Amino acid sequence: FHTITKFSIEQSDRISAVSHFLRDETQKAFGCAGCDVQVIHNFVDPEVYDRTRYPPTLRGQFDGSRKVLMHISNFRPVKRVRDIVRIFERVTREIPSVLVMVGDGPDRVDAEDEARRLGVEDSVFFLGKIDAVAPLLAGADLFLLPSQHESFGLSALEALACGVPVVATNSGGVAEVVTDGETGALCPVGDVAAMAAAALKILGEPGRWERMSIAAAADARHRFARDAVVSQYEALYRDALA
């Protein structure tokens, strides 16, 4: 579809991308002349992703002393779901934890196999596809996103908005969402040891987790609130129509 996609881009009156990474990749892939791609990030509804709105239903399902690590995706190869289980296994050696995996896709069986191989299958829970993820995120302590790359990282943004620090890979658009050392941690792709160490550092220091949680929710609302981002789209449409 390269030819028709390139043609469509070049014939469009306006073009937007959800991240600077996606804008740059688009321009590289299609080499389109005069492509003025405006970056307008994805957004969240601050009211929906408000941790205080939801009862601790998820946490109540587990021993209250265990931390809740979470991942939400479509379980495609790019998500590197085996890495998620490997990170969790290292974390739970030192901090009693559970891993909640939300979603479904072709690599779910790989994650299940990895959990059995590492002997943590009793602490890894696969919930399948769930549309309303905010109540689940409200019960999480840490979100894991070790993807090969992300165009943006919407699931990471949703976690941050719920006050959940994110440990992710420094690849693609997710680096525009997670601020390393402030709202989470960014590590090289495939570096399970580094991501596990970052997770332990965040979870092992209550004061650090609290600061990151507050910063994550505040940053998500400051940079990615629905009304502010929708206004950017409306301005783009008005400019095009004029």
Side-chain angles (χ1 to χ4, degrees), residues 6 8 13 20 35 49 54 88-89 95 104 114 122 128 136 144 154 157 163 175 188-189 202-203 214 217 222:
K6 177 179 170 67
S8 299
D13 293 301
H20 292 90
C35 291
Y49 293 90
Y54 305 101
F88 168 72
E89 189 273 333
I95 298 177
D104 209 346
E114 193 68 12
D122 291 341
L136 296 174
L144 301 177
L154 181 58
L157 174 57
V189 174
I202 295 169
L203 295 173
I214 293 171
H222 175 66

Side-chain angles (χ1 to χ4, degrees), residues 66 85 88-89 92 98-99 111-126:
R66 293 202 283 177
V85 180
F88 168 72
E89 189 273 333
T92 198
V98 296
L99 174 61
E112 293 171 338
D113 288 345
E114 193 68 12
R116 284 190 291 269
R117 188 183 73 82
L118 295 174
V120 295
E121 68 270 23
D122 291 341
S123 297
V124 182
F125 300 87
F126 294 87

Side-chain angles (χ1 to χ4, degrees), residues 48-49 54 58 70 72 102 127-138 158 162:
V48 173
Y49 293 90
Y54 305 101
L58 178 65
M70 188 172 291
I72 302 171
V102 183
L127 304 189
K129 190 175 186 300
I130 296 175
D131 291 327
V133 297
L136 296 174
L137 285 167
E158 291 170 342
C162 280

Side-chain angles (χ1 to χ4, degrees), residues 7 17 19 47 110 112 234 237:
F7 174 81
S19 67
E47 291 185 11
D110 290 343
E112 293 171 338
E234 291 174 338
Y237 299 153

Side-chain angles (χ1 to χ4, degrees), residues 204-226:
E205 300 178 29
R208 181 186 298 273
W209 183 91
E210 184 72 22
R211 288 192 300 273
M212 280 193 168
S213 175
I214 293 171
D219 187 51
R221 282 156 177 72
H222 175 66
R223 294 197 293 143
F224 304 105
R226 178 194 61 191

Side-chain angles (χ1 to χ4, degrees), residues 33-46:
C35 291
D36 181 16
V37 182
Q38 181 171 337
V39 175
I40 303 178
H41 288 124
N42 281 320
F43 61 86
V44 288
D45 185 337

